[in-house]
Amino acid sequence: MKSLPPLSPAEQALMDLIWQHQPVSVAALLELVNGERPEGISRNTLQTQLTRLHAKGWLKPDESERARLYSATVPEKRGRGRILDELKQRLFGGSSLSLVRCLVEEGGLSDEDIRELKELIGKHKKGGKP
C-alpha cells in the first residue's frame, strides 16, 4: 500500500462514515454528517473535504451512476492501522506498549476491555493472529 497522508480530525470523522456506508453519495453523506452535528455543514464544504480526501488518495469517486458515489481506497482495518501507526509515532515514539500503558493508566479501558485484551494477548502468545 502506498503511504497515505495523515488525516485531520474532520477528515477522520468523514472517513469513519464512508467506511460504514460506502459507496455513499454526497447527498447521503451530507445527511449523515449533519445528523451528528449541532450545526450543519454546507454541501460545498462537504464537497471540498471529499475533493481533498480524493487528492490525498483516501477516496475514489465512482461516476458511473447518476449521482457520484464515494468509496474508500483502502479497507477500514488497513486505514485505521495507518492512522494508529501515525498516532503511535507522534505521541508515543512508536511504542505500542506506551500507547497501551497510557490507555490502562488513564482509565481508558473498562474491565470488559481488559478481559478482552488479556484474551487477545493469550491468543497472540499461542501463535494466533489477533
Side-chain angles (χ1 to χ4, degrees):
M1 173 179 85
K2 74 175 189 177
S3 182
L4 294 170
L7 298 174
S8 70
E11 290 170 336
Q12 174 63 56
L14 201 50
M15 283 304 300
D16 289 343
L17 289 172
I18 291 165
W19 276 317
Q20 292 170 18
H21 301 281
Q22 66 184 330
V24 63
S25 68
V26 175
L29 198 52
L30 186 62
E31 193 173 306
L32 290 165
V33 168
N34 286 337
E36 296 182 353
R37 303 171 65 102
E39 279 186 44
I41 63 169
S42 72
R43 185 180 181 93
N44 287 344
T45 298
L46 177 60
Q47 189 62 62
T48 298
Q49 289 176 316
L50 293 171
T51 300
R52 286 182 183 152
L53 284 167
H54 179 237
K56 286 182 171 186
W58 283 92
L59 283 185
K60 59 184 172 197
D62 176 2
E63 298 179 27
S64 64
E65 300 292 323
R66 189 170 154 308
R68 179 182 294 166
L69 300 176
Y70 286 92
S71 297
T73 58
V74 295
E76 181 177 7
K77 186 174 180 178
R78 189 178 306 159
R80 289 192 184 282
R82 166 71 176 88
I83 294 162
L84 181 60
D85 285 345
E86 177 193 322
L87 176 76
K88 197 169 55 170
Q89 269 308 116
R90 196 176 38 171
L91 299 179
F92 300 99
S95 170
S96 297
L97 179 60
S98 293
L99 182 140
V100 173
R101 182 178 287 127
C102 181
L103 287 173
V104 171
E105 291 174 351
E106 296 302 317
L109 297 175
S110 68
D111 290 342
E112 177 64 19
D113 291 338
I114 292 170
R115 186 191 64 70
E116 285 186 40
L117 186 56
K118 285 179 182 177
E119 265 182 42
L120 191 61
I121 291 169
K123 285 179 188 176
H124 186 72
K125 283 171 116 174
K126 292 177 185 170
K129 283 280 183 182

